[in-house]
Amino acid sequence: MINTNCLECGSRKLSIFSKCSPSTLQKVSSIKQGYTIKKGEDLFHEGKHPRGLFCVQNGKLKVSQIGKEGKEQIVHLIKNGDPMGHRALFDDEIYSCSAIAIDKSQLCFIPKSSFFNLLAEDHSLHTEVTRLLARELKEAEQNITNTGQLSVEIRLINTLIKLCKSFGFEEDQITINVKMSRSDLANLVGTSRETVTRKLYQLEKKKLIRLHRKNIQISSLKALETTASIW
């Protein structure tokens, strides 16, 4: 069930609303709408006009673009507390990507005009949004560098490390807490499904990971990080 009170929302502490005043949070609680989408369901589509800001209360989504040849490219993975659709709002343009749920997800929606009013009224929210945009630009620049300079194996290892740090582990403390198809994982790494599957089996032979269907278990996160750092 979606929590309608922002002051009681655990994911708020991970979001751009983490430092907002109680009065701002009360305003957000009164104007936002709740959405629940199923696994595989679209939240918004590339080419459509944004109506406001989404924020993930609980769930996992992928944000992807379709290339000229019709191939999907995953741009971001979204977790609890992450906002969605903000760049399209600031550009006053259509969505450049589509958002699809990886798991059943619960989201809050703030209409465009209300969100801009909140930005003007609460300096801390404005500051957090600015920091978010700066982090996203830095990440995009790093991804371009990594794609051009790092091998597929190291890009795969870095992706697995990022998944661990973003989504954590299941109760067994070794299984990454997100289930992804090999195609989606390949899109994240920037290679083919066949190549990423082969590289996963190679990492398993090196005892860095274990594979069980769509689950990936990390034998030692420290060992993965050490392997990535020596290249």
Side-chain angles (χ1 to χ4, degrees):
M1 182 176 180
I2 295 177
N3 189 341
T4 57
N5 189 340
C6 292
L7 287 166
E8 299 176 357
C9 177
S11 295
R12 175 184 60 82
K13 298 177 181 179
L14 306 172
S15 77
I16 55 176
F17 298 98
S18 61
K19 298 181 180 179
C20 286
S21 66
S23 61
T24 297
L25 295 176
Q26 289 175 355
K27 288 181 182 178
V28 176
S29 298
S30 66
I31 61 178
K32 72 180 184 180
Q33 303 168 25
Y35 282 83
T36 297
I37 59 175
K38 300 177 182 178
K39 178 180 179 180
E41 188 176 350
D42 292 348
L43 180 65
F44 55 76
H45 295 276
E46 184 176 347
K48 299 294 185 180
H49 288 277
R51 298 182 295 109
L53 179 82
F54 292 97
C55 191
V56 181
Q57 188 175 115
N58 183 36
K60 306 178 185 76
L61 300 96
K62 63 179 180 179
V63 177
S64 61
Q65 289 180 324
I66 301 299
K68 292 182 179 180
E69 298 180 357
K71 182 180 179 181
E72 180 188 35
Q73 178 64 52
I74 297 178
V75 181
H76 297 289
L77 288 180
I78 304 297
K79 61 186 184 303
N80 292 1
D82 286 348
M84 302 183 70
H86 49 289
R87 288 188 298 276
L89 285 181
F90 293 131
D91 281 344
D92 196 23
E93 294 287 347
I94 59 176
Y95 287 121
S96 61
C97 303
S98 299
I100 304 101
I102 297 175
D103 287 334
K104 178 181 178 181
S105 300
Q106 297 173 323
L107 306 101
C108 297
F109 173 79
I110 303 173
K112 179 179 180 179
S113 59
S114 299
F115 177 61
F116 282 129
N117 288 337
L118 292 169
L119 279 176
E121 294 170 1
D122 194 305
H123 177 71
S124 66
L125 177 59
H126 190 281
T127 299
E128 290 304 306
V129 170
T130 302
R131 289 175 175 169
L132 170 67
L133 293 172
R135 289 196 301 270
E136 289 177 339
L137 177 59
K138 181 179 179 181
E139 181 180 346
E141 292 172 338
Q142 188 63 59
N143 287 340
I144 292 172
T145 300
N146 290 345
T147 300
Q149 298 184 2
L150 299 180
S151 67
V152 172
E153 180 172 328
I154 297 304
R155 297 206 308 271
L156 172 58
I157 290 173
N158 284 336
T159 299
L160 294 177
I161 292 171
K162 185 175 180 179
L163 291 176
C164 292
K165 294 183 176 180
S166 295
F167 298 104
F169 296 96
E170 295 184 3
E171 292 183 0
D172 61 10
Q173 295 302 308
I174 59 172
T175 302
I176 301 177
N177 190 28
V178 59
K179 292 178 175 62
M180 300 186 66
S181 68
R182 295 295 182 257
S183 294
D184 280 350
L185 186 57
N187 285 337
L188 276 176
V189 175
T191 187
S192 67
R193 181 179 61 82
E194 293 77 13
T195 298
V196 86
T197 299
R198 184 173 67 254
K199 293 297 181 180
L200 284 171
Y201 283 125
Q202 290 175 358
L203 292 178
E204 186 174 41
K205 287 182 179 180
K206 295 178 182 179
K207 302 188 183 303
L208 290 171
I209 66 171
R210 301 174 196 165
L211 302 174
H212 181 64
R213 298 179 182 174
K214 289 186 178 180
N215 292 323
I216 299 177
Q217 298 177 335
I218 305 301
S219 304
S220 169
L221 181 56
K222 184 177 180 180
L224 270 186
E225 292 174 331
T226 299
T227 302
S229 67
I230 64 176
W231 289 83

